[in-house]
Amino acid sequence: MKTKSILLKSRPKGMPTEENFEFKEEALPELQEGQLLLKTLYASVDPYMRGRMSDAKSYVAPYNLNEPITGGVVAEVVESRNDRYKAGAIVLGNLPWQTYSISNGKGLNQLDPDLAPLSYHLGILGMPGLTAYCGLLYIGEPKEGETVVVSGAAGAVGTVVGQIARLKGCRVVGIAGSDDKTAYLKNDLGFDEAINYKTTDNMQQALAAACPDGVDVYFDNVGGEISDAVYGLLNKFARIAVCGQIALYNATSVPTGPRVEPILLKKSALMKGFIVGDYAARFPEAATEMVGWLKAGKLQYEEHILEGFDQLPQAFFGLFRGENTGKLLVKVADFNAH
Ligand SMILES: NC(=O)c1ccc[n+]([C@@H]2O[C@H](COP(=O)([O-])OP(=O)(O)OC[C@H]3O[C@@H](n4cnc5c(N)ncnc54)[C@H](OP(=O)(O)O)[C@@H]3O)[C@@H](O)[C@H]2O)c1
C-alpha cells in the first residue's frame, strides 16, 4: 500500500509558504498485530498548527522537521489487526497528513456515522465547537441581556460562540474580515451587529456604536489591535476569554500594545486564557448539549471544504488569509464502507 505524506521541511518565518512543506510518496509496511490501516477521509487545518511549526516552547510539542504534520483527521479503518476496531469503522484522531496511515489504535475515538456528517467531528461537534462552548460558558458566563463581542466571528469557533450567546439571550456583536462575512453573521446566524475590521477606520467608535451598553463578555480569537479596541468598552465585572491570538501567529517580533491591567483593575474584569483540553472533564456535557442544539436546528453550521489531499498546505494558508467562512478543512477521500 502506497501513501502520500506532507512533511514539515523547514520552520516558517512569518507567513508559511509552500516551501515549508514537502510531499513524499512511500510504501507502508505490512500491518503488525494490534495495528490498523487507516484511510484519511477528512483532514482539518487549525490555527494552532502554526505554533507547532515553530520550535518555541508551547502547550504542545513542536512538529519535528522532515516528519509528517499531524492534526485532526477523520479516517476509515481499511484493515484491522486490532480487536477494538473492525474494518469499515470510522475514527477520529490526531493523525499524520497522509492519505493512508498505520495506527496502534491509541487515542482514536470511534464515530457514529449516523450522528452527523463525518466532517462535523472536526468542527462544530469536535475541538472547535467544544472550544466555543467551554470558553464562552465556563469563562464568559454570559447572562441574558448582556453584550457579547466575539472576534474572528465568522470562523469555526467564532460562529459557534456567537450563536450560543444568542441562545443565552445576549446582544451579540461579531468582528470579521469581509462584508460577506458580516452579512452572513447578521442575516444567517442572527448576530445583532457585525463589523468588518478591514474597512473600519476607527474600531473603537464602531464598537461603541454597536455596543451602546458596553461589553460584558469578550471572546477573543484574534488579539492585537482588534482586542485593544474592545478593552476600552468593557463594563464593570466584564469577562474576557482569551481563546486565540491569530493576528500574532505570524509575527516575527512581539508587538507592544496598550497596557490592559489598569482597565482590568478599574472594571474589576476577569481575563482568562484557556486551552480547550483544560475542560476535558466537561466535554461529555458540552457535546450532549451541542448535539441537541444542532439536531433542534438551533445552531447553523457552515464548512469551507477544499477537495484533495494536495490542497492541505493551501487550506492551511487560507486560515491566515481569511478565506474561510465557518470551518476550513480538506476532503481527502470518500467514505465507501456502506
Ligand atoms: N484555546 C484553544 O484551545 C483554541 C482552540 C481552537 C481554536 N483556538 C483559536 O481560536 C481562533 C479561531 O480558530 P478557528 O479554528 O475558529 O479558526 P477560523 O476562525 O475558522 O479561521 C481563522 C480566521 O482568523 C481570521 N484571521 C486571520 N488572520 C487574522 C488577523 N491577522 N487578524 C484578524 N483576524 C485574522 C480570518 O478571518 P477574517 O476574515 O475575519 O480575518 C480567518 O478566517 C484561533 O486564534 C485559534 O488559534 C483556540
Side-chain angles (χ1 to χ4, degrees), residues 20-253:
N20 300 126
F21 301 94
E22 185 182 348
F23 285 79
K24 198 172 154 186
E25 203 166 306
E26 61 189 336
L28 285 171
E30 286 285 302
L31 276 197
Q32 302 294 312
E33 195 53 41
Q35 291 185 330
L36 307 160
L37 175 64
L38 299 175
K39 178 168 83 165
T40 299
L41 303 179
Y42 291 97
S44 182
V45 290
D46 293 278
Y48 78 86
M49 300 170 105
R50 175 64 184 87
R52 297 197 67 189
M53 289 173 193
S54 96
D55 54 10
K57 204 167 173 232
S58 186
Y59 60 96
V60 262
Y63 293 126
N64 289 326
L65 288 178
N66 303 315
E67 286 183 14
I69 307 284
T70 57
V73 161
V74 170
E76 178 182 343
V77 177
V78 180
E79 204 185 316
S80 176
R81 295 191 62 189
N82 180 311
D83 294 340
R84 285 189 59 200
Y85 299 95
K86 289 197 174 71
I90 303 293
V91 295
L92 171 73
N94 186 57
L95 293 167
W97 278 8
Q98 288 182 312
T99 50
Y100 290 87
S101 63
I102 290 178
S103 161
N104 60 12
K106 284 202 184 114
L108 298 180
N109 285 313
Q110 186 155 348
L111 300 177
D112 171 3
D114 298 325
L115 183 68
L118 294 176
S119 55
Y120 282 30
H121 297 278
L122 296 171
I124 193 161
L125 296 182
M127 184 277 280
L130 289 168
T131 302
Y133 185 101
C134 296
L136 179 67
L137 298 185
Y138 302 147
I139 300 173
E141 296 188 345
K143 291 168 198 67
E144 193 171 346
E146 288 190 328
T147 298
V148 174
V149 172
V150 53
S151 56
V157 175
T159 49
V160 180
V161 168
Q163 292 184 84
I164 297 177
R166 287 287 302 141
L167 289 173
K168 297 290 170 188
C170 298
R171 176 177 178 80
V172 179
V173 176
I175 304 169
S178 76
D179 288 346
D180 283 349
K181 292 186 183 188
T182 54
Y184 167 71
L185 295 174
K186 290 207 309 187
N187 302 337
D188 296 16
L189 301 190
F191 281 48
D192 296 279
E193 286 297 337
I195 301 167
N196 177 350
Y197 72 91
K198 287 190 179 155
T199 54
T200 301
D201 293 333
N202 188 328
M203 275 298 289
Q204 191 158 351
Q205 232 170 45
L207 276 161
C211 307
D213 299 327
V215 176
D216 301 294
V217 178
Y218 176 42
F219 193 106
D220 184 14
N221 280 316
V222 306
E225 289 175 6
I226 291 174
S227 295
D228 295 344
V230 180
Y231 298 142
L233 296 165
L234 295 179
N235 287 334
K236 180 104 179 163
F237 301 121
R239 286 84 64 198
I240 304 165
V242 183
C243 173
Q245 298 283 289
I246 196 168
L248 311 180
Y249 293 171
N250 290 318
T252 46
S253 60

